[in-house]
Amino acid sequence: MQQPERGAGEVLGAFVADTDPGAIAPPLRHEAKRALLNFLGCALGVSRDPAVTTAIGVLRPFSGAATATLVGQAARLDAMGAAFVNTVAGNLLDYDDTHLATVIHPTAAVAGAALALAETRGLPGAALLHAFLLGAEVECRIGLAVSPGHYARGWHITSTCGVFGAAAACARLLGLDAAGCATALGIAASQSAGLVENLSYGAKNVGMGNAARNGLLAALFAEAGYTAAPTAIEGKLGWARAMGDVPRLPDMLDGLGERWEFARNTYKPYPSGIVFHALIDACLALRERLGAAVGGIESVTVRGDQLLLDRGDRVVRTARDSRVSIHHGAAVALLRGRAGVPEFEDGAVWDPAVAALRGRVRAVLDDAMPRGAVAVTVALANGRSETVRVEAARGSLEQPLSDAELEAKFRDNAALGGTTDAASAQIAAVWGLEEAGALGRLLGLMAGRA
Amino acid sequence: MQQPERGAGEVLGAFVADTDPGAIAPPLRHEAKRALLNFLGCALGVSRDPAVTTAIGVLRPFSGAATATLVGQAARLDAMGAAFVNTVAGNLLDYDDTHLATVIHPTAAVAGAALALAETRGLPGAALLHAFLLGAEVECRIGLAVSPGHYARGWHITSTCGVFGAAAACARLLGLDAAGCATALGIAASQSAGLVENLSYGAKNVGMGNAARNGLLAALFAEAGYTAAPTAIEGKLGWARAMGDVPRLPDMLDGLGERWEFARNTYKPYPSGIVFHALIDACLALRERLGAAVGGIESVTVRGDQLLLDRGDRVVRTARDSRVSIHHGAAVALLRGRAGVPEFEDGAVWDPAVAALRGRVRAVLDDAMPRGAVAVTVALANGRSETVRVEAARGSLEQPLSDAELEAKFRDNAALGGTTDAASAQIAAVWGLEEAGALGRLLGLMAGRA
């Protein structure tokens, strides 16, 4: 007898419910810790940002018993509110991780929801880590099946797919069986939203927070017995097609548990758009080479591919602009020898020296350049000229950030958030997540309670 | 100097913020009361339904101070939870109202959110009524601009547009100015979701509840200073185009405050799909004519248009099926002389007499029939034959339900929900909404507290 084909939700649900943590290779589990460390640092770094404190203020009257930690905050909220706020914070500057094949920032929504639920239910760090990893994988797989058309059409894929990842992770944490996990994904499909048009606005944060909050809600409704269409994701009137995509189901479903999209996760060394990272690498290297001579720069010529020029050849009017500007990225890296969060804030944007150097940067299309590569030539008033060429940026798949670099990024972020003394203990708690038992210590440290 | 064209959000925001209630004609304000009466009755009727009680159970741990009434429930929740639950209840059986041009059920999400917020903030009935009306109009206008493609593509338009209506109504209740109301709509755009694929499942309720809950959230974030793209609705990477639509902006924006889509709202006399209402009318008339002779029916022939046959010529296996079945609708109307909620529940579906008569109903395509018209011919064993033809169903725009009929429907629903003694007072409280001052008395009555 021919078996009916299994729906996408059924296949993904079985993967989420039935994957044995012991069958997940240690490097992948370590990657999950790297992702969490990076996420927690990013959230810590913006803990005083008005976008975050505003979200806490809006959600506070709608919080039940405050069972869940807010990263970098003394205040707590219920799991729904904490999922929202921590996800907003972790993704606020788009300084978190990136799954390059989909441009999903995979960790924020999944970790935001899973941490809040795990803490609320008193679940151990190992359960959190595995649920997070499974959720993030589902998120990237669903995104992969509709990329690149999905994002190009206007869907903020980190939100639209984040809700699936959050639902999957929460369903796993709740101990739902394969059918229950499938149902959670089906309910998530009816909550998937988020628009590219809104990316430069606060509305983007609401979309992100909702991805976490609604993913958690989907899992809770599945646990409570609500149902969803088995074909909610791939059906004729389901998620992918309504959103304008014909999903490539093999990308979504083939080799689950064998080939991991999450293994291709990357981490940003700079809080700017990823396409600018090779440029910044090159300019930091030039700064090293030139030292104080940077004061004598007459012109900066940036040779890059079409994507770089399309994205970054722009006038800089705001901090947001600065994060996607060739001119600004080059100028701050050359002048300050750093390209951290402060270099893309108002203080740097309006720094007269930076503004002046921005005006001397010229971007030139070079079709001979490999995709993503950049060559920067600096000409000094004294006639000296230096060129640095970078093919694979720091933080790319070819040049991944080391654990030590991720730790350094975490420390920088912690300092931005105003807490430095706990950083070593916080980092150690993340690396020890699988052995830690309950999450209380890690989260206490993250809230500054420990 | 040429003025820059105003964005859709700006135009709609000004309409929501600046419309003077006194400028809204009395018949429209009365229509809003009719819609609320109908909505509250529908919610009351399903107050013991597991879909509703489950939602309360899931949301209860995530409720702040319980400031808002749940229709037909002693329990209360915060405004976020109450918006969700009351919207789910009001729309649960799709027995609520219908804006035929879009097939939006306009009231549930807007009223669910607005009632919860108005009660929480202690706002008067008149403010609620006007905010509701403005929100419902925005919802229908946005839906009209993308119909019919939007629904056909798989978007549950009652959810996807409901979030805009809820956001608009809540923004008005919060007293936001035109820019604030526009921002609320822009934030709502990043939360718009809901799939036709999930319509027969609990996931549909989550989508509906979210439309209300997230609309409220959008307004609160706009109040708190979050921003949104001015072109979130109509922009190149905005709501309409991401969803696959090229919005017809004149349908959305022209003649706001003059031509009201909400004036075209309709109310269902039967809890079945609207295309079956003429059929049920005809069968109820036949039952009147035949009396006890219905026992001798040998065959029932239903002549209708393609839409009727496409939608309703089906095998009935569940209560849901029965609500969209030619055979069941004809059989219960003929046998029972009623077509209320109980006639589309399991008891009627599995009633052997109903099942037997369903088997004698034949649906025949009649291309000569005007759109929506039905002719039903009953042949009895004794050779007698009777035909009734209906062109405009009860509850259609041509045959709107009278206030008395809406009151009778409310009483039927109240009885289904297990409360009858308060019905007269509840009805009077809705009609007196604009004069009532605070909403406490109406909502106390709806909760059974008065």
Side-chain angles (χ1 to χ4, degrees), chain A residues 51 62-64 78 152-153 155 186 189-195 197-198 201-203 210 213-214 220 226-229 231 235 237-238 242, chain B residues 51 62-64 78 152-153 155 186 189-195 197-198 201-203 210 213-214 220 226-229 231 235 237-238 242:
Chain A
F62 306 105
S63 173
D78 67 18
R153 200 169 292 111
W155 293 112
S190 271
Q191 304 183 85
S192 172
L195 300 172
E197 190 87 7
N198 267 332
Y201 300 87
N210 270 351
R213 183 177 76 128
N214 289 335
L220 292 168
Y226 261 43
T227 57
T231 49
L237 299 172
Chain B
F62 306 105
S63 173
D78 66 17
R153 198 169 294 114
W155 293 113
S190 270
Q191 305 184 82
S192 172
L195 300 170
E197 190 87 6
N198 267 332
Y201 300 87
N210 270 352
R213 184 177 75 127
N214 290 334
L220 291 168
Y226 262 43
T227 56
T231 49
L237 299 171

Side-chain angles (χ1 to χ4, degrees), chain B residues 78-159:
Chain B
D78 66 17
M80 213 59 89
F84 188 104
V85 170
N86 287 336
T87 296
V88 167
N91 177 255
L92 188 66
L93 302 181
D94 293 311
Y95 193 17
D96 47 343
D97 49 354
T98 311
H99 176 255
L100 294 166
T102 58
V103 300
I104 290 174
H105 299 277
T107 296
V110 185
L115 276 167
L117 178 61
E119 184 181 12
T120 297
R121 302 262 173 143
L123 299 173
L128 166 79
L129 191 84
H130 304 146
F132 162 68
L133 184 53
L134 293 165
E137 181 66 16
V138 164
E139 173 191 32
C140 292
R141 285 299 198 105
I142 293 176
L144 190 65
V146 295
S147 288
H150 190 77
Y151 187 93
R153 198 169 294 114
W155 293 113
H156 182 218
I157 193 167
T158 299
S159 290

Side-chain angles (χ1 to χ4, degrees), chain A residues 18-416:
Chain A
D18 300 337
T19 297
D20 175 5
I24 303 174
L28 257 168
R29 304 209 302 263
H30 184 69
E31 199 61 47
K33 289 175 210 164
R34 285 162 51 88
L36 289 174
L37 181 68
N38 185 64
F39 162 76
L40 292 168
C42 290
L44 212 48
V46 298
S47 60
R48 303 291 163 258
D49 191 291
V52 175
T53 53
T54 296
I56 297 170
V58 168
L59 292 173
R60 199 193 304 264
F62 306 105
S63 173
T67 57
T69 296
L70 305 181
V71 176
Q73 315 284 345
R76 295 158 64 83
L77 290 173
D78 67 18
M80 213 60 86
F84 189 105
V85 171
N86 287 335
T87 296
V88 167
N91 178 254
L92 187 66
L93 300 182
D94 293 312
Y95 194 18
D96 47 342
D97 49 354
T98 312
H99 176 254
L100 294 168
T102 57
V103 300
I104 289 174
H105 299 277
T107 295
V110 185
L115 275 167
L117 179 62
E119 182 180 15
T120 298
R121 301 264 174 143
L123 299 172
L128 166 79
L129 190 83
H130 304 145
F132 162 68
L133 184 52
L134 293 165
E137 181 65 15
V138 165
E139 174 191 30
C140 292
R141 286 299 198 106
I142 293 176
L144 190 65
V146 295
S147 288
H150 189 76
Y151 187 92
R153 200 169 292 111
W155 293 112
H156 182 218
I157 192 167
T158 298
S159 289
T160 58
C161 292
V163 70
F164 289 111
C170 292
R172 169 85 188 198
L173 285 172
L174 293 172
L176 303 192
D177 65 10
C181 289
T183 299
L185 291 171
I187 297 174
S190 271
Q191 304 183 85
S192 172
L195 300 172
V196 173
E197 190 87 7
N198 267 332
L199 280 192
S200 302
Y201 300 87
K204 174 247 198 180
N205 305 329
V206 178
M208 283 301 303
N210 270 351
R213 183 177 76 128
N214 289 335
L216 169 58
L217 191 72
L220 292 168
F221 268 106
E223 183 187 38
Y226 261 43
T227 57
T231 49
I233 295 173
E234 78 281 22
K236 198 173 149 220
L237 299 172
W239 175 80
R241 284 187 174 77
M243 289 203 152
D245 304 302
V246 177
R248 296 184 306 275
L249 289 180
D251 281 351
M252 195 187 295
L253 307 175
D254 285 4
L256 282 168
E258 293 157 21
R259 174 174 67 73
W260 288 77
E261 283 303 316
F262 195 73
R264 302 204 282 161
N265 201 22
T266 67
Y267 307 91
K268 286 183 168 185
Y270 318 116
S272 70
I274 277 186
V275 294
F276 305 97
H277 289 193
L279 162 73
I280 291 169
D281 285 344
C283 292
L284 290 174
L286 283 165
R287 159 75 189 209
E288 283 275 301
R289 201 177 290 180
L290 294 171
V294 293
I297 291 176
E298 218 169 52
S299 73
V300 181
T301 305
V302 177
R303 294 181 186 282
D305 61 14
Q306 190 69 57
L307 181 67
L308 180 71
L309 269 75
D310 285 351
R311 294 279 176 89
D313 195 7
R314 71 172 70 228
V315 177
V316 174
R317 292 194 189 86
T318 67
R320 274 186 199 275
D321 290 339
S322 77
R323 291 199 284 271
V324 284
S325 158
I326 293 168
H327 309 268
H328 185 82
V332 283
L334 285 165
L335 275 181
R336 299 194 172 183
R338 286 184 50 92
V341 171
E343 281 68 44
F344 297 91
E345 289 181 336
D346 283 344
V349 171
W350 300 114
D351 176 339
V354 173
L357 188 50
R358 276 202 303 263
R360 296 171 181 235
V361 176
R362 199 164 56 98
V364 177
L365 176 65
D366 184 342
D367 280 329
M369 210 56 108
R371 167 83 189 267
V374 165
V376 180
T377 301
V378 168
L380 300 182
N382 63 10
R384 180 179 169 195
S385 155
E386 295 278 351
T387 295
V388 169
R389 181 184 163 107
V390 171
E391 303 230 337
R394 280 181 68 219
S396 67
L397 277 172
E398 294 77 20
Q399 300 278 358
L401 293 196
S402 67
D403 289 357
E405 287 175 308
L406 280 173
E407 291 185 8
K409 179 181 172 184
F410 182 93
R411 288 177 200 280
D412 283 349
N413 271 317
L416 288 169

